Amino acid sequence: MLDAAVKVFSRRGFHAASMDEIAEDAGISKPMVYAYLGTKEELFVACLHREGTRMMQAIAGAAAPDLPADERLWRGLRAFFGFVGAHRDGWAVLYRQARGEQPFAGELATMRARLVEVVAGMLDHALRAEGREIAAIDLEVVAYALVGATESLADWLADHPDADPEKTATRMMNVAWLGAAQLLHGVTWRPPAD
Amino acid sequence: MLDAAVKVFSRRGFHAASMDEIAEDAGISKPMVYAYLGTKEELFVACLHREGTRMMQAIAGAAAPDLPADERLWRGLRAFFGFVGAHRDGWAVLYRQARGEQPFAGELATMRARLVEVVAGMLDHALRAEGREIAAIDLEVVAYALVGATESLADWLADHPDADPEKTATRMMNVAWLGAAQLLHGVTWRPPAD
DNA sequence: GCGTAACCCTACGCACGAGTAGGTATGCTC
DNA sequence: GAGCATACCTACTCGTGCGTAGGGTTACGC
């Protein structure tokens, strides 16, 4: 039943999706949807939660914390793109729909913040291993950029059904890790004085 | 008047925004909004177009095509983050709202594709200058990732009113250019064989 | 056979908001 | 000052869709 909701929400968006359509798609009648899952808002939150936790679990399950940073990043990315490839509708709900709708944006932002924190922690760990340190805010921003780049590629993947998730993950590593590794080695870019 | 519309759309989203509220915020009555700008949908498209072209102009004006790639990237990024910092509402409409709403997503995707193409062109140009070449699709994906990372940081900026756009642009360069420069020099990352 | 309980449906009330009809004030022409 | 045009408003219609009331059907106990 949640599957039907996710499907409809992903295609129509929260407001444009009608409970009638969701009910019809699920093969039951509207009062049943209300009986089992409450109001439209609660239904959407339920979708959000399910897809969100599924995704986080997929990533956490793949990126064991005792691996070296590049290995963790690679596995996490692979799991993430794999998830998006297999749950395109769920991803669309999370990324495209929930973002703009006021009541849910916070919910999503929290989840995203957790992800950013994990990435930032990974970078920090790797940095300390190299005997370096960066201001926490810089780390957070870099992590933010990496997460954003990844989400963007995921979106690209969602729109290209025949693309290979694994290959996309490799491409992402090429952009992300090469840059991050430079940073870890103390190489930085400075603006030209103009 | 468009300012009022952008403001309301950015806070509420397309569906939740009421024409009454937009009219009130603009200091006029609803029939006037209809007289000047047509239906709600047309109004939204008008907002989208204005903010979109403003943004593209800001970027295009800063990143002259005869500069070296890193300089172009830097100036483009600076202009972009400057724009977002100055038009947070407009950015929210473009990035958070228009994306999920079916009738407008295409419009936006086109604009985004232009941006990706510009970035990809830039990378390609720099690559040829180094005597190298990469498959077009790889270039596009890398460009996509860079644009995504930038958008993500822009979003971060929009949520942190006291953050400095220029500094954010510098941070973005650190992530993007260091990685891209590696790629340009032929360094690539390969997945471990497991 | 009749009560009853679990289950699910059709069909509705009601609120909200897009778009409009018709009226009012202000200024301009002759 | 009468006629007219422009600019704007208040107050309405009407469609849409959320949430629910009340009724039908099946299965089981007695």
Side-chain angles (χ1 to χ4, degrees), chain B residues 28-90:
Chain B
I28 55 176
S29 72
K30 201 156 54 133
M32 285 301 97
V33 179
Y34 279 91
Y36 287 129
L37 293 165
T39 70
K40 188 181 187 181
E41 214 161 292
E42 289 165 346
L43 174 59
F44 193 78
V45 169
C47 292
L48 226 56
H49 264 114
R50 194 186 60 161
E51 298 301 319
T53 52
R54 273 186 181 177
M55 190 183 87
M56 294 301 265
Q57 277 174 0
I59 297 176
D66 52 348
L67 292 168
D70 58 342
E71 188 78 14
R72 276 184 80 192
L73 190 58
W74 162 242
R75 295 199 180 200
L77 280 176
R78 202 171 48 173
F80 172 71
F81 284 112
F83 175 86
V84 172
H87 301 80
R88 289 168 211 256
D89 285 349

Side-chain angles (χ1 to χ4, degrees), chain B residues 81-101:
Chain B
F81 284 112
F83 175 86
V84 172
H87 301 80
R88 289 168 211 256
D89 285 349
W91 170 252
V93 171
L94 284 174
Y95 183 63
R96 297 186 196 174
Q97 307 301 339
R99 203 140 219 218
E101 308 293 339

Side-chain angles (χ1 to χ4, degrees), chain B residues 40 82 104 152:
Chain B
K40 188 181 187 181
F104 317 117
S152 184

Side-chain angles (χ1 to χ4, degrees), chain A residues 8-22:
Chain A
V8 175
F9 278 135
S10 74
R11 300 208 194 307
R12 305 264 190 228
F14 176 70
H15 284 282
S18 82
M19 292 299 264
D20 291 276
E21 188 176 355
I22 293 172

